Amino acid sequence: MQRMNLSAKLPAQAVAEKMGELQTPYTPQEASVEASRCLFCFDAPCIMACPTGIDIPSFIKKIETGNIVGSARTILSANILGASCARVCPTEVLCEGACVLVDRQRDPIKIGRLQRFATDYVYERGLDVLKSPVRKSGKRIAVIGAGPAGLGCAAELAQLGHSVVIFERKPWPGGLNTYGIAYYKMKPEISLREVATVERLGVEIRCGIEVGRDISATRLQQEFEALFIGIGLGEGQALRIPGEQLHGVSDALDFIEEIHSHPLHEVAVGNSVIVIGCGNTAIDAVTQAKRLGAAKAIVAYRRSETEMPAYHFEYELAQRDGATFYFNVAPIELIGDEAGQVCAVKFVRTETSKKGELKLIPGSEFTEPADMVLKAVGQSKQSAWLTQNFPALRLDQRGVIERNPATGQTSIPHLFAGGDCANGGREVVNAVGEGKKAARGIHAYLGQSNMPVARQPSRLGVNGEPSGSGLEAPIRAHELEKLYFSEAEQHG
Amino acid sequence: MADLSIDFAGIRSPNPFWIASGPPSNTAYQAHRAFEAGWGGVVWKTIGEPIVNVSSRYSGIDIGGTRMAGFNNIELISDRSPQTNFREIAETKKLWPDRALIASLMVETREDWHDFIKRSEDAGADGIELNFGCPHGMCERGMGSAVGQNPGVIETIVGWVMEAARKPVIAKLTPNITDITTAARAAKRAGADAISLINTINSITQVNLDTWVPEPFVGGFSSHGGYCGPAVKPIALQMVQACADDPEIQLPISGIGGIASWRDAAEFIALGSTSLQVCTAVMHYGFRIVEDLIDGLGNYLDSKSICSVDSLRGRAVSRIKEWKYLDLNYKRIARINYDRCIGCNLCHIACEDGAHQAIRLIAPNGLGLGPGRVPGKPIPEIVEESCVGCNLCALVCPVQGCISMLSVETGRNTLSWDDYQEKSRGAS
């Protein structure tokens, strides 16, 4: 990253305070009071809104009764990254947004915070609540990418008795959970703690190994019976305007990664920061720039306020942090000084026609000083890497992998995929859910007995149609356990 | 994982959780759903000569935001024919051979008891529960609690039953009696294999203040109903402990009364229950609650390194003594943790007006969380020489871990009421 004139702005203690957690953990009493508000709905809409199908009323009920270990098991058996999802999930638009109390104009149950309470409880005590079966299938599966999708897939495969090796390009596992989450939402340690849980299920993680460079895809396909691709998205998109090569111009994601791989008080930040784009990554970048000590931070978006992709609560957070928002402005040039350092951005104002087309308004150009420019206009797809390593793999017109959404299976039968490289870019929890689904797809592909479909009794009777999330049904801890123990007993 | 299986007077069950005789155990369909959800046993809704029920049947009381903290009903025994019930018991037992299936019976004559017991056993029931408890409707016809309130009648009927029964017999007792142990002793004398308690408590839950008709409303009137749900648990625990501790009884106990969570279950077991029966919580939330009952009890036993339900059973029974044997010289006092005090002063007013005037208000001087926000607002302070250690302040305090009760060393020997009286006499 080119950042010659930038420097860290605040002493260690001040920056630690500013970057400290936004959301404090519940005390046991607070958790119990909040849990007791839950109605314990049957066919609860929160379960259906969760991409991993956590049996939410059940884990909340267990907090209320003081069975915190059981609560954590309910969460983690459905979502191995339950602790990080508790912190980073946009619960307002997922489980909490679906809570029936919202329909009654009441505060929804704080599901995310309760989930954090239960998962923190077991992590802080070093309790492992999940187990891999004693009997192994003898099948070996390679997972490419140790991000949320890869971890979700690997953990589920390990729990189904398979041997899994994850290949990760970066020095640390966890993907965006380790490198790309706003620091005040989740520290990298939380992500690494979860990765360690996956390793304790028997999954081997090899970091610093890039498939296609250090080991060929062909060799992986020879050595393993199935592959899961969870490589996420590629580098940030370019703005394609003059001046992008100037010092002080970088990808927002690279800036966030730097925050996660250096001591906070050593992270350089500009005095006047401009973030281009207005998605959730732009918000993470601008709030962290402010918290690291930038005097001024602007988010510049070429469309209007109502069209921005960032969640509303993220927008509000950035405003509270003192970020300024410029709407309907498009950057046309990044201006540098004689040393090659960016010093301003030239914008032109825009308007949206009735048909929704963006039009530049001639003569409305203006410049805004900036010594740091962060690009947050989306990530590129991985189509180049994919076609190079898996020439027969079918991609859609966007450049993401085509696959059966129920099983994750791609156009190559032994190849499965999930997460951002297959869905085009969604939340952490989507990636975990897709990894888990693909694990079951792989399990079925390898000819192992089909997973019993966990079913919630419905009004149609126990044999009626399953209800629940986008998965077959909520996964209940005791059902998984039944499976392991019966297998262990039969064969052990 | 701790062993949750039980042997209740010869009735085996993979876990101690049974559906109590009542609306959730009315049909084979429900029993099937209960077993599928994981329940260890079902006590079938009481079978007798079919009755006719009224509409409506249930009522409840809410406390704060909690619905159905207490619940009552005026529904009678099964309104389906004995043939149907026995056929369904047979079908259910065939599908679930490893679970406990118990027929609950209520009839009048010796011949009828003999007949119904034979039919229960022929259907494959693992045991028979005698409904001596229903406090509404059936008692007007000389059955239910009319039997349970009269130890002589209990003894007679259990005697008739034991003439015919080959499977274990459980006498289900009513709490609507001055001393439940007399009823339990009568059952024991007549040879019952076990007892279950408590049945519901006679009650009126609420009066509609516009119409002055209590609930449940039946055409402008209501009737005394059987009270149950979380609110009755303390009454049930007392009665279970009293029966468990009585040397003349010594029968396996199936604990019933307000069990809704694994914690409730663990308390009933610690006070002497072997199996646990649940009804109201299932009527509230469905059979699925058994997951947390099993999981929570298992995790609890594991956390205490207790290997089975059997090893927990009765651990608290001997911890209840008659009052006269308690130590008059034991002393505890309240202690306030000022790092947690929010300055609500509920402890002060409770002690001042409701107890022993042992909490005064003082200037905060920087102590407490809340007081600093309102200058000059006082905080509570325990007057230790006045504190009798009654627990009231700790009970009213809304903050966990703020007021605790500390045992204090008095340096005096144990002194019971009997000792005290003897001493007083010696002194005078």
Coordinates of all heavy atoms in Angstrom, one line a residue, chain B residues 8-79:
Chain B
F8 N -38.7 -47.0 38.0 CA -39.6 -46.5 39.0 C -40.5 -47.6 39.4 O -41.4 -48.0 38.7 CB -40.4 -45.4 38.3 CG -41.5 -44.8 39.2 CD1 -41.2 -43.7 40.0 CD2 -42.8 -45.2 39.2 CE1 -42.1 -43.1 40.9 CE2 -43.8 -44.6 40.0 CZ -43.4 -43.6 40.9
A9 N -40.3 -48.2 40.6 CA -41.1 -49.3 41.1 C -41.2 -50.4 40.1 O -42.2 -51.1 39.9 CB -42.5 -48.8 41.5
G10 N -40.1 -50.6 39.3 CA -40.2 -51.7 38.2 C -40.5 -51.2 36.9 O -40.5 -51.9 35.9
I11 N -41.0 -49.9 36.8 CA -41.3 -49.3 35.4 C -40.0 -48.6 34.9 O -39.5 -47.7 35.6 CB -42.4 -48.3 35.5 CG1 -43.7 -48.9 36.2 CG2 -42.7 -47.7 34.2 CD1 -44.8 -47.9 36.5
R12 N -39.5 -49.1 33.8 CA -38.3 -48.5 33.2 C -38.6 -47.4 32.3 O -39.6 -47.5 31.5 CB -37.5 -49.6 32.5 CG -36.9 -50.6 33.4 CD -36.1 -51.7 32.7 NE -35.6 -52.6 33.7 CZ -34.5 -52.4 34.4 NH1 -33.8 -51.2 34.2 NH2 -34.0 -53.2 35.3
S13 N -37.7 -46.4 32.3 CA -37.9 -45.3 31.5 C -36.6 -44.7 31.1 O -35.7 -44.6 32.0 CB -38.8 -44.2 32.2 OG -38.9 -43.0 31.5
P14 N -36.4 -44.3 29.8 CA -35.0 -43.8 29.4 C -34.7 -42.5 30.0 O -33.5 -42.1 30.1 CB -35.1 -43.7 27.9 CG -36.6 -43.7 27.6 CD -37.3 -44.4 28.7
N15 N -35.6 -41.7 30.5 CA -35.4 -40.5 31.2 C -36.5 -40.3 32.2 O -37.6 -41.0 32.1 CB -35.2 -39.3 30.3 CG -36.4 -39.0 29.5 OD1 -37.5 -38.7 30.1 ND2 -36.3 -39.0 28.2
P16 N -36.4 -39.4 33.2 CA -37.4 -39.3 34.2 C -38.6 -38.5 33.8 O -39.5 -38.3 34.7 CB -36.6 -38.7 35.4 CG -35.6 -37.9 34.7 CD -35.2 -38.6 33.5
F17 N -38.6 -38.0 32.6 CA -39.7 -37.1 32.2 C -40.9 -37.7 31.6 O -40.8 -38.3 30.5 CB -39.1 -36.0 31.3 CG -38.0 -35.2 31.9 CD1 -36.7 -35.4 31.5 CD2 -38.2 -34.4 33.0 CE1 -35.6 -34.8 32.1 CE2 -37.2 -33.7 33.6 CZ -35.9 -33.9 33.1
W18 N -42.0 -37.6 32.3 CA -43.3 -38.2 31.9 C -44.3 -37.1 31.6 O -44.3 -36.1 32.4 CB -43.8 -39.2 32.9 CG -43.0 -40.4 33.2 CD1 -41.8 -40.8 32.6 CD2 -43.2 -41.4 34.2 NE1 -41.3 -42.0 33.1 CE2 -42.2 -42.4 34.1 CE3 -44.2 -41.6 35.2 CZ2 -42.1 -43.5 35.0 CZ3 -44.1 -42.7 36.0 CH2 -43.1 -43.6 35.9
I19 N -45.2 -37.4 30.7 CA -46.3 -36.5 30.5 C -47.4 -36.9 31.6 O -47.7 -38.1 31.7 CB -47.0 -36.7 29.1 CG1 -45.9 -36.3 28.0 CG2 -48.2 -35.9 29.0 CD1 -45.6 -34.8 28.0
A20 N -47.8 -35.9 32.3 CA -48.8 -36.2 33.4 C -50.1 -36.5 32.8 O -50.5 -36.0 31.7 CB -48.9 -35.1 34.4
S21 N -51.0 -37.3 33.5 CA -52.3 -37.5 33.0 C -53.1 -36.2 32.9 O -53.1 -35.4 33.8 CB -53.0 -38.4 34.0 OG -54.3 -38.7 33.6
G22 N -53.6 -35.9 31.7 CA -54.2 -34.6 31.4 C -54.5 -34.4 30.0 O -54.2 -35.3 29.2
P23 N -54.8 -33.2 29.6 CA -55.1 -33.0 28.2 C -54.0 -33.4 27.2 O -54.3 -33.9 26.1 CB -55.4 -31.5 28.1 CG -55.9 -31.1 29.5 CD -55.1 -32.1 30.4
P24 N -52.7 -33.2 27.5 CA -51.7 -33.6 26.6 C -51.6 -35.1 26.4 O -50.9 -35.5 25.5 CB -50.4 -33.0 27.1 CG -50.8 -32.0 28.1 CD -52.1 -32.5 28.7
S25 N -52.2 -35.9 27.2 CA -52.0 -37.4 27.1 C -53.4 -38.0 26.8 O -53.7 -39.1 27.2 CB -51.5 -38.0 28.4 OG -52.3 -37.7 29.5
N26 N -54.2 -37.3 26.0 CA -55.6 -37.7 25.7 C -55.7 -38.8 24.7 O -56.6 -39.6 24.7 CB -56.4 -36.5 25.3 CG -57.9 -36.7 25.4 OD1 -58.3 -37.5 26.2 ND2 -58.6 -36.1 24.5
T27 N -54.7 -38.7 23.7 CA -54.9 -39.6 22.5 C -53.6 -40.3 22.2 O -52.5 -39.8 22.6 CB -55.3 -38.8 21.3 OG1 -54.3 -37.9 21.0 CG2 -56.6 -38.1 21.5
A28 N -53.7 -41.3 21.4 CA -52.4 -42.0 20.9 C -51.6 -41.0 20.0 O -50.4 -41.0 20.1 CB -52.8 -43.2 20.0
Y29 N -52.3 -40.2 19.3 CA -51.6 -39.2 18.4 C -50.7 -38.3 19.3 O -49.5 -38.1 19.0 CB -52.6 -38.3 17.7 CG -52.0 -37.1 17.0 CD1 -51.3 -37.3 15.9 CD2 -52.2 -35.8 17.5 CE1 -50.7 -36.2 15.2 CE2 -51.7 -34.7 16.9 CZ -50.9 -34.9 15.7 OH -50.4 -33.8 15.1
Q30 N -51.2 -37.8 20.5 CA -50.4 -37.0 21.3 C -49.3 -37.8 22.0 O -48.2 -37.3 22.1 CB -51.3 -36.3 22.4 CG -52.2 -35.3 21.8 CD -53.3 -34.9 22.8 OE1 -54.1 -35.7 23.2 NE2 -53.3 -33.6 23.3
A31 N -49.6 -39.0 22.4 CA -48.6 -39.8 23.0 C -47.4 -40.1 22.1 O -46.2 -40.0 22.4 CB -49.2 -41.2 23.5
H32 N -47.8 -40.3 20.8 CA -46.8 -40.6 19.8 C -45.9 -39.3 19.6 O -44.7 -39.4 19.5 CB -47.5 -40.9 18.5 CG -46.6 -41.2 17.3 ND1 -45.8 -42.3 17.3 CD2 -46.4 -40.5 16.2 CE1 -45.1 -42.3 16.2 NE2 -45.4 -41.2 15.5
R33 N -46.6 -38.2 19.5 CA -45.8 -36.9 19.4 C -44.9 -36.7 20.6 O -43.7 -36.2 20.4 CB -46.7 -35.7 19.2 CG -47.2 -35.6 17.8 CD -48.3 -34.5 17.7 NE -47.7 -33.2 18.0 CZ -47.0 -32.4 17.1 NH1 -46.8 -32.9 15.9 NH2 -46.6 -31.2 17.5
A34 N -45.4 -37.0 21.8 CA -44.6 -36.8 23.0 C -43.3 -37.7 22.9 O -42.2 -37.3 23.2 CB -45.4 -37.1 24.2
F35 N -43.6 -39.0 22.6 CA -42.4 -39.9 22.5 C -41.4 -39.5 21.4 O -40.2 -39.6 21.6 CB -42.9 -41.4 22.3 CG -43.6 -42.0 23.5 CD1 -44.7 -42.8 23.4 CD2 -43.1 -41.7 24.8 CE1 -45.3 -43.4 24.5 CE2 -43.7 -42.3 25.9 CZ -44.8 -43.1 25.8
E36 N -42.0 -39.1 20.3 CA -41.1 -38.6 19.2 C -40.2 -37.4 19.7 O -39.1 -37.3 19.3 CB -41.9 -38.2 18.0 CG -41.1 -38.1 16.8 CD -41.9 -38.7 15.6 OE1 -43.1 -38.3 15.4 OE2 -41.3 -39.6 14.9
A37 N -40.8 -36.6 20.5 CA -40.0 -35.4 21.0 C -39.0 -35.8 22.0 O -38.1 -35.1 22.3 CB -41.0 -34.4 21.6
G38 N -39.2 -37.0 22.6 CA -38.1 -37.5 23.6 C -38.6 -37.8 25.0 O -37.8 -38.2 25.8
W39 N -39.9 -37.7 25.2 CA -40.4 -38.0 26.6 C -40.2 -39.4 27.0 O -40.3 -40.3 26.1 CB -41.9 -37.6 26.7 CG -42.1 -36.1 26.6 CD1 -42.3 -35.4 25.5 CD2 -42.2 -35.2 27.7 NE1 -42.4 -34.0 25.8 CE2 -42.3 -33.9 27.2 CE3 -42.1 -35.4 29.1 CZ2 -42.4 -32.8 28.0 CZ3 -42.1 -34.2 29.9 CH2 -42.3 -32.9 29.4
G40 N -39.9 -39.6 28.2 CA -39.6 -41.0 28.7 C -40.8 -41.8 29.0 O -40.8 -43.0 28.9
G41 N -41.9 -41.1 29.3 CA -43.1 -41.8 29.6 C -44.4 -40.9 29.4 O -44.3 -39.7 29.3
V42 N -45.5 -41.6 29.4 CA -46.8 -40.9 29.3 C -47.7 -41.6 30.2 O -47.9 -42.8 30.3 CB -47.4 -41.0 27.8 CG1 -48.8 -40.5 27.8 CG2 -46.6 -40.1 26.9
V43 N -48.4 -40.8 31.1 CA -49.5 -41.3 31.9 C -50.8 -40.9 31.2 O -51.0 -39.7 31.1 CB -49.4 -40.7 33.3 CG1 -50.5 -41.3 34.2 CG2 -48.0 -40.9 34.0
W44 N -51.5 -41.8 30.7 CA -52.6 -41.6 29.9 C -53.7 -40.8 30.6 O -53.8 -40.9 31.8 CB -53.2 -42.9 29.5 CG -53.9 -42.9 28.1 CD1 -55.3 -42.7 27.9 CD2 -53.4 -43.1 26.9 NE1 -55.5 -42.8 26.6 CE2 -54.4 -43.0 25.9 CE3 -52.1 -43.4 26.4 CZ2 -54.2 -43.2 24.5 CZ3 -51.9 -43.6 25.0 CH2 -52.9 -43.5 24.1
K45 N -54.4 -40.0 29.9 CA -55.5 -39.2 30.5 C -56.5 -40.2 31.1 O -56.8 -41.3 30.6 CB -56.3 -38.4 29.4 CG -57.5 -37.7 30.0 CD -57.6 -36.3 29.4 CE -58.9 -35.7 29.9 NZ -58.8 -34.4 30.6
T46 N -56.9 -39.9 32.4 CA -57.7 -40.8 33.2 C -58.8 -41.5 32.4 O -59.7 -40.8 31.9 CB -58.2 -40.2 34.5 OG1 -57.0 -39.6 35.1 CG2 -58.9 -41.2 35.4
I47 N -58.9 -42.8 32.5 CA -59.9 -43.6 31.8 C -61.0 -44.0 32.9 O -60.6 -44.4 34.0 CB -59.3 -44.9 31.2 CG1 -58.2 -44.5 30.3 CG2 -60.4 -45.6 30.4 CD1 -57.3 -45.7 29.8
G48 N -62.2 -43.9 32.5 CA -63.3 -44.3 33.4 C -64.6 -44.3 32.6 O -64.5 -44.3 31.3
E49 N -65.7 -44.4 33.2 CA -67.0 -44.3 32.4 C -67.0 -43.0 31.8 O -66.7 -41.9 32.4 CB -68.2 -44.5 33.3 CG -68.3 -46.0 33.8 CD -68.3 -47.0 32.7 OE1 -68.8 -46.7 31.6 OE2 -67.7 -48.1 32.9
P50 N -67.2 -42.9 30.4 CA -67.0 -41.6 29.7 C -67.9 -40.5 30.3 O -69.0 -40.8 30.8 CB -67.5 -41.9 28.3 CG -67.3 -43.4 28.2 CD -67.5 -44.0 29.5
I51 N -67.4 -39.3 30.4 CA -68.1 -38.2 30.9 C -68.4 -37.2 29.8 O -68.0 -37.4 28.6 CB -67.3 -37.5 32.0 CG1 -65.9 -37.3 31.6 CG2 -67.3 -38.4 33.3 CD1 -65.7 -36.2 30.6
V52 N -69.1 -36.1 30.1 CA -69.3 -35.0 29.1 C -68.7 -33.8 29.7 O -68.8 -33.5 30.9 CB -70.8 -34.8 28.9 CG1 -71.0 -33.6 27.9 CG2 -71.4 -36.1 28.4
N53 N -67.9 -33.1 28.9 CA -67.2 -31.9 29.4 C -67.9 -30.6 29.0 O -68.8 -30.6 28.2 CB -65.8 -31.8 28.7 CG -64.8 -32.5 29.6 OD1 -64.7 -32.3 30.8 ND2 -64.0 -33.4 29.0
V54 N -67.6 -29.5 29.7 CA -68.2 -28.2 29.5 C -67.3 -27.4 28.6 O -66.1 -27.7 28.3 CB -68.4 -27.5 30.8 CG1 -69.5 -28.1 31.6 CG2 -67.1 -27.3 31.6
S55 N -67.8 -26.3 28.1 CA -67.0 -25.3 27.4 C -67.3 -24.0 28.1 O -68.5 -23.6 28.3 CB -67.5 -25.3 25.9 OG -67.0 -24.2 25.3
S56 N -66.4 -23.2 28.5 CA -64.9 -23.4 28.4 C -64.4 -24.2 29.6 O -65.2 -24.5 30.5 CB -64.3 -22.0 28.4 OG -64.6 -21.3 29.6
R57 N -63.1 -24.4 29.7 CA -62.5 -25.3 30.7 C -61.3 -24.8 31.4 O -61.0 -25.3 32.5 CB -62.1 -26.6 30.0 CG -63.2 -27.2 29.2 CD -62.7 -28.5 28.5 NE -63.8 -28.9 27.5 CZ -63.6 -29.9 26.7 NH1 -62.5 -30.6 26.7 NH2 -64.6 -30.2 25.9
Y58 N -60.6 -23.9 30.9 CA -59.3 -23.5 31.5 C -59.3 -22.0 31.8 O -59.9 -21.2 31.2 CB -58.1 -23.7 30.5 CG -58.0 -25.1 29.9 CD1 -57.7 -25.2 28.5 CD2 -58.3 -26.2 30.6 CE1 -57.6 -26.5 27.9 CE2 -58.3 -27.5 30.0 CZ -57.9 -27.6 28.7 OH -57.8 -28.9 28.1
S59 N -58.5 -21.7 32.8 CA -58.2 -20.3 33.2 C -56.8 -20.1 33.7 O -56.2 -21.2 34.0 CB -59.2 -19.8 34.2 OG -58.9 -18.5 34.7
G60 N -56.3 -18.9 33.8 CA -54.9 -18.8 34.2 C -54.7 -17.4 34.9 O -55.6 -16.6 34.9
I61 N -53.6 -17.3 35.5 CA -53.2 -16.0 36.1 C -51.8 -15.6 35.5 O -51.0 -16.4 35.3 CB -53.2 -15.9 37.6 CG1 -52.1 -16.9 38.2 CG2 -54.5 -16.2 38.2 CD1 -51.9 -16.7 39.7
D62 N -51.7 -14.3 35.1 CA -50.5 -13.8 34.6 C -49.8 -12.9 35.7 O -50.5 -12.3 36.5 CB -50.8 -12.8 33.4 CG -51.5 -13.5 32.3 OD1 -51.5 -14.8 32.3 OD2 -52.2 -12.8 31.5
I63 N -48.5 -13.0 35.8 CA -47.8 -12.2 36.7 C -46.8 -11.3 36.0 O -45.9 -11.8 35.3 CB -47.1 -13.0 37.8 CG1 -48.1 -13.8 38.6 CG2 -46.3 -12.1 38.7 CD1 -47.5 -14.7 39.7
G64 N -47.0 -10.0 36.0 CA -46.2 -9.1 35.1 C -46.3 -9.6 33.7 O -47.4 -9.8 33.2
G65 N -45.2 -9.8 33.0 CA -45.3 -10.2 31.6 C -45.4 -11.7 31.4 O -45.4 -12.2 30.3
T66 N -45.4 -12.4 32.6 CA -45.4 -13.9 32.4 C -46.8 -14.4 32.3 O -47.6 -14.3 33.2 CB -44.7 -14.5 33.7 OG1 -43.4 -14.0 33.8 CG2 -44.7 -16.0 33.5
R67 N -47.1 -15.1 31.2 CA -48.5 -15.7 31.0 C -48.5 -17.0 31.7 O -47.5 -17.7 31.8 CB -48.7 -15.9 29.5 CG -48.7 -14.6 28.7 CD -50.0 -13.9 28.8 NE -51.0 -14.4 27.9 CZ -52.3 -14.2 28.1 NH1 -52.8 -13.5 29.1 NH2 -53.2 -14.7 27.2
M68 N -49.7 -17.3 32.2 CA -49.9 -18.6 32.8 C -48.9 -19.0 33.9 O -48.4 -20.1 34.0 CB -49.9 -19.7 31.7 CG -51.3 -19.8 31.1 SD -51.3 -20.9 29.6 CE -50.7 -22.4 30.2
A69 N -48.6 -18.0 34.8 CA -47.8 -18.4 36.0 C -48.5 -19.4 36.8 O -48.0 -20.2 37.5 CB -47.5 -17.1 36.7
G70 N -49.9 -19.2 36.8 CA -50.7 -20.2 37.4 C -51.8 -20.6 36.4 O -52.2 -19.8 35.6
F71 N -52.4 -21.8 36.6 CA -53.3 -22.2 35.5 C -54.4 -23.1 36.2 O -54.0 -23.8 37.2 CB -52.5 -23.0 34.5 CG -53.3 -23.6 33.4 CD1 -53.6 -22.7 32.3 CD2 -53.7 -24.9 33.3 CE1 -54.3 -23.2 31.2 CE2 -54.4 -25.4 32.2 CZ -54.7 -24.6 31.2
N72 N -55.6 -23.1 35.8 CA -56.6 -24.1 36.4 C -57.5 -24.6 35.3 O -57.6 -24.1 34.2 CB -57.3 -23.6 37.6 CG -58.5 -22.8 37.4 OD1 -58.9 -22.4 36.2 ND2 -59.3 -22.5 38.4
N73 N -58.2 -25.7 35.7 CA -59.0 -26.3 34.7 C -60.2 -27.0 35.4 O -60.2 -27.4 36.6 CB -58.3 -27.4 33.9 CG -58.2 -28.7 34.6 OD1 -59.0 -29.6 34.4 ND2 -57.2 -28.9 35.4
I74 N -61.3 -27.1 34.6 CA -62.5 -27.8 35.1 C -62.8 -28.9 34.1 O -64.0 -29.3 34.0 CB -63.7 -26.9 35.4 CG1 -64.0 -26.1 34.1 CG2 -63.4 -26.0 36.6 CD1 -65.4 -25.3 34.3
E75 N -61.8 -29.4 33.4 CA -62.0 -30.5 32.5 C -62.0 -31.8 33.3 O -61.2 -32.0 34.2 CB -60.9 -30.5 31.4 CG -61.1 -31.6 30.4 CD -60.1 -31.4 29.2 OE1 -60.0 -30.4 28.6 OE2 -59.3 -32.4 29.0
L76 N -62.9 -32.7 33.0 CA -62.9 -34.0 33.7 C -62.0 -35.0 33.1 O -61.2 -34.7 32.2 CB -64.4 -34.5 33.8 CG -65.4 -33.5 34.4 CD1 -66.7 -34.1 34.5 CD2 -64.9 -33.0 35.7
I77 N -62.2 -36.3 33.4 CA -61.4 -37.4 32.9 C -61.8 -37.6 31.4 O -62.5 -36.8 30.9 CB -61.6 -38.7 33.7 CG1 -63.1 -39.2 33.6 CG2 -61.3 -38.5 35.1 CD1 -63.4 -40.5 34.1
S78 N -61.2 -38.6 30.8 CA -61.4 -38.8 29.3 C -62.8 -38.8 29.0 O -63.7 -39.5 29.6 CB -60.7 -40.1 28.9 OG -61.0 -40.3 27.6
D79 N -63.2 -38.1 27.9 CA -64.6 -38.2 27.4 C -64.7 -39.2 26.2 O -65.7 -39.3 25.5 CB -65.1 -36.8 27.0 CG -64.2 -36.2 26.0 OD1 -63.2 -36.8 25.4 OD2 -64.3 -34.9 25.8

